[in-house]
Amino acid sequence: MVAAIAALISALPLRQRLGPSDLVLPADAFSHSYALCLTMAALFSHSSLAINSVAGNGVDLALASRGVAPTVIVASSQSLSKLHQNHFSAGPSGLHKLVHANHSRALASGRMPGESLLYRLVAPKSSAIGTAPGKLRLILASERAGTEAEPLSSAALRDLRIVTRSRICYALTAPSVAGAVAQSNIYDYRHSDRPGHSHFGAPLSSVEIKLVDKDDTKVDGSTPSGEVSFLRNPHLCTTETNNLLQIVVSGPAVAGDESNLGVRGIFREDCTLGYA
């Protein structure tokens, strides 16, 4: 837990870290170690906390933040997916498309879009989370490996940054790993037109990830892919798992030093981890 809390704090740039001026709202259950470790990190950073009963997978963030004005929200990927569906289920008007296109170009150029007068006129009333629109600055979202939830795509993350007007970190978590396995950079606004899921960023400092397979050719190349596994002993795996590239994770944040996640993943050319 100590290693995970320290890794989550250091994963954020110095100017974007939690501080006394932040009000952190954990909208995910404390049984999830990612939400618990971030809450402990907020306490260590002297941030204020807003805790209520509206927390868990797939909660309505507008209801969870009712009556408070959070600057940071900890939520599950299902909650963000629900928020995205609520805002983009209906076809947008031509004016909405124009504003969305302008903000998309701003994100593609590497900067967060500002709140223009045109955006105030056409933005949905429910797009602002909390009682103070525009105060929210950061959303820490997590994807739990091995669940049936649909991971977020880079297009969905781009749309959510525009709707919430806040930066989003997307993390991969596992029950046997405190905190997160990997977490995307807070300034990573990249969007890919290719269909598929977004990446989870680079591994945190509390874990070490290495690729293990009996066939060395599978770990060659710039984008090795295979089963994302946390194996206690990778040399004693079954025939089925031996045919796949293993990602072995160890470190102080892993229960028992090593554990098995059991999902297929890929290391991209930019050294970020994603689902295969």
Side-chain angles (χ1 to χ4, degrees):
M1 289 289 291
V2 174
I5 294 170
L8 289 172
I9 293 175
S10 62
L12 296 175
L14 186 60
R15 296 185 61 182
Q16 295 293 337
R17 290 181 184 175
L18 305 179
S21 60
D22 283 314
L23 176 60
V24 180
L25 172 64
D28 202 355
F30 288 146
S31 58
H32 188 200
S33 67
Y34 184 71
L36 180 60
C37 290
L38 282 173
T39 301
M40 295 298 180
L43 290 174
F44 179 82
S45 305
H46 306 288
S47 302
S48 300
L49 287 175
I51 300 175
N52 56 33
S53 60
V54 186
N57 292 331
V59 300
D60 191 333
L61 294 180
L63 293 177
S65 61
R66 179 174 295 178
V68 295
T71 60
V72 180
I73 287 182
V74 182
S76 64
S77 60
Q78 293 94 318
S79 298
L80 288 187
S81 179
K82 183 177 181 179
L83 178 65
H84 182 266
Q85 183 179 2
N86 291 339
H87 284 287
F88 294 93
S89 57
S93 64
L95 196 57
H96 281 89
K97 290 181 179 179
L98 176 62
V99 175
H100 190 275
N102 290 334
H103 286 183
S104 298
R105 284 193 292 269
L107 288 172
S109 64
R111 60 182 178 86
M112 283 293 295
E115 184 179 340
S116 61
L117 177 61
L118 182 60
Y119 179 84
R120 293 194 188 113
L121 293 175
V122 302
K125 294 182 179 179
S126 58
S127 62
I129 299 175
T131 58
K135 191 175 181 181
L136 181 66
R137 69 176 184 88
L138 176 61
I139 297 178
L140 296 162
S142 62
E143 165 66 26
R144 303 187 190 189
T147 62
E148 297 180 356
E150 183 69 18
L152 295 171
S153 64
S154 61
L157 290 173
R158 176 203 59 192
D159 296 340
L160 288 168
R161 290 186 179 100
I162 296 174
V163 168
T164 61
R165 290 169 290 174
S166 62
R167 296 177 172 89
I168 298 176
C169 290
Y170 191 31
L172 175 65
T173 64
S176 54
V177 180
V181 178
Q183 178 175 287
S184 62
N185 191 284
I186 190 173
Y187 296 125
D188 190 350
Y189 310 139
R190 292 176 297 173
H191 164 62
S192 175
D193 293 328
R194 293 178 300 177
H197 308 134
S198 178
H199 65 83
F200 299 108
L204 293 186
S205 59
S206 58
V207 298
E208 178 183 349
I209 300 180
K210 56 184 177 181
L211 305 179
V212 177
D213 196 276
K214 64 178 182 179
D215 186 2
D216 291 340
T217 59
K218 293 184 179 181
V219 297
D220 289 341
S222 58
T223 58
S225 63
E227 184 179 356
V228 182
S229 298
F230 298 75
L231 297 178
R232 184 169 301 279
N233 190 341
H235 304 291
L236 299 178
C237 52
T238 63
T239 303
E240 290 77 7
T241 57
N242 242 343
N243 294 328
L244 298 173
L245 182 65
Q246 309 296 327
I247 299 182
V248 180
V249 176
S250 59
V254 182
D257 294 332
E258 293 178 357
S259 182
N260 190 344
L261 188 62
V263 295
R264 292 180 56 82
I266 182 172
F267 274 112
R268 306 182 182 224
E269 295 181 351
D270 56 359
C271 299
T272 58
L273 180 64
Y275 282 146

